[in-house]
Short mmCIF file of all heavy atoms in Angstrom, two decimals:
data_model
loop_
_atom_site.label_atom_id
_atom_site.label_comp_id
_atom_site.label_asym_id
_atom_site.label_seq_id
_atom_site.Cartn_x
_atom_site.Cartn_y
_atom_site.Cartn_z
N PHE A 86 -26.92 27.21 -0.60
CA PHE A 86 -28.10 27.43 0.23
C PHE A 86 -27.82 28.42 1.36
O PHE A 86 -28.62 29.28 1.59
CB PHE A 86 -28.63 26.10 0.78
CG PHE A 86 -29.44 25.29 -0.16
CD1 PHE A 86 -29.96 24.10 0.23
CD2 PHE A 86 -29.63 25.64 -1.45
CE1 PHE A 86 -30.63 23.21 -0.63
CE2 PHE A 86 -30.36 24.88 -2.36
CZ PHE A 86 -30.84 23.67 -1.95
N GLY A 88 -25.32 30.72 1.39
CA GLY A 88 -25.08 32.04 0.83
C GLY A 88 -26.41 32.68 0.36
O GLY A 88 -26.60 33.94 0.57
N ILE A 89 -27.27 31.91 -0.25
CA ILE A 89 -28.52 32.47 -0.78
C ILE A 89 -29.42 32.86 0.43
O ILE A 89 -30.02 33.95 0.40
CB ILE A 89 -29.27 31.43 -1.70
CG1 ILE A 89 -28.40 31.33 -2.99
CG2 ILE A 89 -30.66 31.88 -1.90
CD1 ILE A 89 -28.88 30.25 -3.87
N ARG A 90 -29.40 32.08 1.49
CA ARG A 90 -30.27 32.38 2.62
C ARG A 90 -29.67 33.64 3.27
O ARG A 90 -30.48 34.46 3.75
CB ARG A 90 -30.14 31.17 3.65
CG ARG A 90 -30.88 31.40 4.91
CD ARG A 90 -30.85 30.24 5.85
NE ARG A 90 -31.46 30.55 7.07
CZ ARG A 90 -30.86 30.98 8.12
NH1 ARG A 90 -29.60 31.29 8.07
NH2 ARG A 90 -31.55 31.20 9.20
N GLY A 91 -28.46 33.82 3.31
CA GLY A 91 -27.81 35.02 3.94
C GLY A 91 -27.95 36.31 3.12
O GLY A 91 -27.93 37.36 3.70
N THR A 92 -28.09 36.19 1.81
CA THR A 92 -27.97 37.39 0.96
C THR A 92 -29.35 37.74 0.29
O THR A 92 -29.50 38.90 -0.02
CB THR A 92 -26.88 37.30 -0.05
OG1 THR A 92 -27.07 36.18 -0.87
CG2 THR A 92 -25.59 37.26 0.63
N LEU A 93 -30.15 36.74 0.05
CA LEU A 93 -31.35 36.97 -0.81
C LEU A 93 -32.65 36.78 0.02
O LEU A 93 -33.74 36.68 -0.63
CB LEU A 93 -31.33 36.11 -2.08
CG LEU A 93 -30.12 36.29 -3.02
CD1 LEU A 93 -30.20 35.31 -4.15
CD2 LEU A 93 -30.15 37.71 -3.56
N GLU A 94 -32.61 36.72 1.24
CA GLU A 94 -33.80 36.43 2.06
C GLU A 94 -34.89 37.50 1.88
O GLU A 94 -36.00 37.18 1.90
CB GLU A 94 -33.36 36.33 3.57
CG GLU A 94 -34.44 35.64 4.41
CD GLU A 94 -34.67 34.15 4.07
OE1 GLU A 94 -33.73 33.46 3.77
OE2 GLU A 94 -35.87 33.77 4.17
N ARG A 95 -34.48 38.68 1.56
CA ARG A 95 -35.40 39.81 1.46
C ARG A 95 -36.17 39.75 0.10
O ARG A 95 -37.25 40.45 -0.01
CB ARG A 95 -34.71 41.15 1.62
CG ARG A 95 -34.17 41.41 3.06
CD ARG A 95 -33.50 42.74 2.98
NE ARG A 95 -32.11 42.54 2.38
CZ ARG A 95 -31.26 43.36 2.20
NH1 ARG A 95 -31.52 44.62 2.65
NH2 ARG A 95 -30.09 43.18 1.62
N TRP A 96 -35.64 39.04 -0.84
CA TRP A 96 -36.30 39.00 -2.16
C TRP A 96 -36.70 37.56 -2.44
O TRP A 96 -35.92 36.77 -3.09
CB TRP A 96 -35.33 39.50 -3.21
CG TRP A 96 -34.89 40.91 -2.94
CD1 TRP A 96 -35.61 42.05 -3.08
CD2 TRP A 96 -33.53 41.27 -2.55
NE1 TRP A 96 -34.84 43.12 -2.73
CE2 TRP A 96 -33.51 42.71 -2.40
CE3 TRP A 96 -32.41 40.65 -2.19
CZ2 TRP A 96 -32.52 43.49 -1.98
CZ3 TRP A 96 -31.31 41.38 -1.75
CH2 TRP A 96 -31.32 42.75 -1.68
N PRO A 97 -37.85 37.10 -2.10
CA PRO A 97 -38.19 35.70 -2.20
C PRO A 97 -38.21 35.13 -3.61
O PRO A 97 -37.88 34.01 -3.86
CB PRO A 97 -39.55 35.57 -1.54
CG PRO A 97 -40.08 36.99 -1.20
CD PRO A 97 -38.84 37.89 -1.37
N LYS A 100 -34.66 34.74 -4.69
CA LYS A 100 -34.13 33.63 -3.85
C LYS A 100 -34.55 32.26 -4.36
O LYS A 100 -33.82 31.37 -4.56
CB LYS A 100 -34.67 33.81 -2.39
CG LYS A 100 -34.27 32.62 -1.55
CD LYS A 100 -34.88 32.76 -0.16
CE LYS A 100 -34.95 31.46 0.55
NZ LYS A 100 -35.79 31.44 1.73
#
Side-chain angles (χ1 to χ4, degrees):
F86 284 179
I89 290 168
R90 180 177 175 269
T92 56
L93 299 177
E94 196 66 38
R95 293 178 286 179
W96 302 288
K100 176 185 158 192

